Amino acid sequence: WHFHGYQPGDILYRIEDDPGKPIKFKERSWRVSIYSAERRISSNNWTDLMLKLYKELPKILDEITSIGARVSIDIEPQTLDLLAYKHPSTFRDIMRHLTEGTFELIMTYPFHPIVPHLEMPSIKDLTMIMRALYEPLLQESSFLGVWFPEGVLTVKTLDVLDKVMSKRQKRIFVIGDECHVRRSFGSSSTCPGVISNTPIILCPRSRSLSDAFSFSLLSTKELLKRLSDFLRTPTCSHCLLAMDLETLFYHEQKIEQFLLLLNKISKAQYSICSAGDFLERIIKRNLPIHEIVEYASWSGYSDVDSGFSLDSRWLGVRRKDFKVFSRKVYGVKISQVWKYA
């Protein structure tokens, strides 16, 4: 089970640009409130609200540990910085859990760019910065996990990642989506496999099961049955669920629903672990080869590129032919080409 944590989206601009001084920035002022665990929580914007809710994360991790489970989490560096600045006690609690090994920390690129959209020197620089930021926090393991923002990756970006990380002498894996795997290549799209032409392992999530939990498309009972049916298939005896960390705050009973589901999965004699822990168990197996769909994204517009979930959402034009497309907003077509501009 994997969670993706990224929250600095409401910073509008930096007031202080001198790198020798503490960062000062202007935030969006947009009052929001949600209910979580029967409590109303309010803040000036969505980012600040989510940072407040990170206070619940150590409690959730304690509950996960009591079940005998472990998850992996990637938390974007600026999110950690904002937590340390605004909610230092929460930051310390999360760091304590990390030190105790309660969860597996997955690296992710600073500032959440769509990595393949950057120039190659910038990709290399950001990869080196990512390594430097996370290196002091990483636990002892044979594996090193990475999450590409929005899941968008290419063989070239993976090659840069491999070269920058090669000195650590750990096997690299990336958290991905079944949309990354070419279905016709003869391997299950939700089983870990080595990415063709690279030494890197891809751990694809089940999009349907992940979305079913994220957006409450199924009850806990229905999701458990669907999961059990999935795990009994001959092609794959395991399944990765991955989603945004803020999923746990989508409605006031979501945390309770999550912990109930984990309890039921555990009682059904299934093991709940992080992606890295799972790879430690199966590394002696011959992993299949995955040919990837480059520029695929776990959150792309699948209706734009002939059913593929690609990066057109951020390009502003269709990836397959670079033609302009529109989205309907309140029934009105709005061109996305401004993103390309």
Side-chain angles (χ1 to χ4, degrees):
W1 201 301
H2 177 75
F3 287 111
H4 164 57
Y6 164 66
Q7 300 310 147
D10 284 292
I11 293 176
L12 296 178
Y13 57 85
R14 290 171 65 164
I15 300 169
E16 177 56 74
D17 282 332
D18 185 341
K21 297 179 181 179
I23 295 173
K24 294 181 181 179
F25 47 80
K26 176 70 175 177
E27 292 185 72
R28 190 189 315 275
S29 182
W30 179 43
R31 198 75 181 165
V32 288
S33 300
I34 66 168
Y35 285 90
S36 178
E38 299 182 352
R39 291 185 300 118
R40 181 186 171 105
I41 303 171
S42 302
S43 195
N44 287 330
N45 55 56
W46 183 256
T47 294
D48 201 50
L49 179 63
M50 286 297 109
L51 290 172
K52 280 186 179 180
L53 290 168
Y54 271 73
K55 184 179 180 180
E56 303 298 322
L57 182 57
K59 301 173 192 174
I60 296 169
L61 290 170
D62 284 335
E63 292 286 348
I64 292 172
T65 303
S66 71
I67 296 167
R70 190 169 184 252
V71 300
S72 55
I73 307 173
D74 70 85
I75 305 179
E76 196 270 344
Q78 194 174 350
T79 302
L80 287 172
D81 185 62
L82 285 171
L83 278 171
Y85 173 65
K86 293 188 171 190
H87 307 285
S89 61
T90 299
F91 175 79
R92 287 193 296 269
D93 283 344
I94 292 174
M95 289 299 102
R96 175 178 57 82
H97 275 276
L98 178 61
T99 304
E100 293 171 356
T102 307
F103 69 96
E104 177 186 9
L105 182 65
I106 302 293
M107 300 193 300
T108 188
Y109 282 80
F111 313 116
H112 203 266
I114 306 299
V115 178
H117 291 187
L118 303 175
E119 298 290 337
M120 198 54 69
S122 297
I123 294 175
K124 184 179 179 181
D125 288 345
L126 266 186
T127 306
M128 292 174 70
I129 291 169
M130 175 176 70
R131 183 188 66 183
L133 288 170
Y134 283 101
E135 208 156 24
L137 304 175
L138 295 174
Q139 301 135 328
E140 287 300 318
S141 170
S142 305
F143 293 93
L144 190 64
V146 178
W147 162 251
F148 278 80
E150 305 300 339
V152 183
L153 49 86
T154 63
V155 171
K156 284 185 178 180
T157 57
L158 291 171
D159 185 53
V160 173
L161 176 66
D162 179 48
K163 287 176 179 175
V164 170
M165 298 296 178
S166 59
K167 291 183 180 179
R168 286 197 59 86
Q169 298 180 332
K170 292 189 177 187
R171 191 74 184 270
I172 300 170
F173 70 90
V174 295
I175 300 289
D177 185 280
E178 57 187 294
C179 73
H180 285 111
V181 182
R182 289 198 183 277
R183 303 294 175 101
S184 60
F185 208 63
S187 58
S188 170
S189 60
T190 54
C191 285
V194 180
I195 298 171
S196 179
N197 299 317
T198 81
I200 296 174
I201 298 170
L202 175 70
C203 293
R205 70 166 186 160
S206 166
R207 175 175 286 203
S208 60
L209 290 172
S210 298
D211 285 354
F213 173 78
S214 296
F215 307 115
S216 300
L217 304 178
L218 298 171
S219 67
T220 301
K221 183 178 180 180
E222 290 169 332
L223 184 53
L224 182 63
K225 183 181 184 308
R226 186 78 62 85
L227 185 59
S228 298
D229 291 343
F230 182 93
L231 293 173
R232 280 196 291 265
T233 58
T235 54
C236 219
S237 60
H238 45 268
C239 175
L240 173 64
L241 274 70
M243 60 217 59
D244 288 334
L245 185 59
E246 64 189 58
T247 295
L248 295 177
F249 309 113
Y250 277 179
H251 61 73
E252 54 185 316
Q253 280 89 37
K254 196 66 179 179
I255 297 173
E256 182 182 343
Q257 181 191 24
F258 169 65
L259 295 173
L260 176 63
L261 178 62
L262 289 196
N263 263 300
K264 288 186 177 294
I265 292 172
S266 182
K267 287 178 181 177
Q269 303 302 305
Y270 293 115
S271 175
I272 305 161
C273 61
S274 69
D277 288 345
F278 177 70
L279 289 175
E280 292 276 8
R281 299 178 190 183
I282 68 163
I283 192 57
K284 293 183 180 179
R285 300 184 194 175
N286 289 323
L287 296 177
I289 301 296
H290 283 326
E291 183 180 345
I292 63 167
V293 178
E294 294 194 303
Y295 300 102
S297 168
W298 81 334
S299 53
Y301 295 147
S302 56
D303 60 323
V304 170
D305 288 289
S306 305
F308 287 101
S309 180
L310 301 179
D311 61 340
S312 301
R313 175 178 172 184
W314 299 276
L315 278 178
V317 292
R318 294 191 307 202
R319 165 62 63 182
K320 63 178 182 179
D321 55 15
F322 279 78
K323 289 186 176 180
V324 177
F325 69 95
S326 301
R327 305 293 293 176
K328 279 192 174 182
V329 181
Y330 298 112
V332 179
K333 279 189 174 183
I334 305 294
S335 169
Q336 304 291 294
V337 74
W338 62 271
K339 299 176 183 177
Y340 190 70

